Amino acid sequence: MDRRELLLEVRRTRNDCVFGLRLTLDAGRAGRGIAFAESYDYLPLGSDPGREYIYSVYAEYAALEPLTAFFEELLGETFAGEPADRFVACFHALVAAGELGDGLTLQENHRKVAAWCEQAGVTAETETWTWINSD
């Protein structure tokens, strides 16, 4: 079952950018079954037609339980529910605690998640995706 979770979305008015943090869990994608994304969607502004940047971290879906245990230990809290519910709750708690969020530097959310995966002993793949509006 595919689960998509919006962790945070903020409209930055100074540069007309929509900043977001998202989490996707999809057992059917095995090697990329866990996906965390830090995104910047710059809307058209003046002569700038707009662009989007997404910095992602991927891990195997099989790593869900060890990652959940790692994040619960990091947070000092155990969440109720199935592993996927607990994993999502961890990420909401990380945002609430300011460990992840809008106030961090560019790509810092993505770097933190990749480093945490490494600390948990989970192999993670990172990726950068860019789209520039050519209209």
Side-chain angles (χ1 to χ4, degrees):
M1 180 170 100
D2 184 14
R3 177 172 180 173
R4 298 172 190 269
E5 193 78 21
L6 178 63
L7 301 170
L8 180 66
E9 188 170 87
V10 177
R11 177 97 182 247
R12 296 175 173 177
T13 55
R14 72 181 185 279
N15 56 4
D16 217 9
C17 173
V18 178
F19 169 83
L21 298 176
R22 290 169 179 74
L23 192 60
T24 302
L25 302 175
D26 186 352
R29 291 199 66 199
R32 285 184 158 205
I34 299 172
F36 170 81
E38 171 183 358
S39 65
Y40 300 83
D41 186 0
Y42 293 91
L43 304 174
L45 185 63
S47 62
D48 182 343
R51 60 201 179 283
E52 186 174 1
Y53 302 94
I54 300 175
Y55 306 98
S56 300
V57 178
Y58 299 101
E60 292 184 340
Y61 192 81
L64 184 63
E65 289 191 45
L67 281 174
T68 300
F70 172 83
F71 286 119
E72 286 179 335
E73 185 176 328
L74 179 71
L75 290 160
E77 186 172 355
T78 301
F79 297 95
E82 298 296 318
D85 298 325
R86 292 171 43 221
F87 187 75
V88 169
C90 288
F91 273 80
H92 280 292
L94 289 164
V95 170
E99 289 293 326
L100 297 174
D102 182 41
L104 302 179
T105 59
L106 180 69
Q107 298 183 48
E108 186 63 22
N109 292 282
H110 142 270
R111 281 192 289 269
K112 278 184 149 185
V113 172
W116 286 329
C117 287
E118 184 178 326
Q119 290 171 24
V122 171
T123 301
E125 173 189 352
T126 60
E127 180 179 85
T128 299
W129 180 87
T130 305
W131 174 81
I132 307 235
N133 188 352
S134 60
D135 291 348

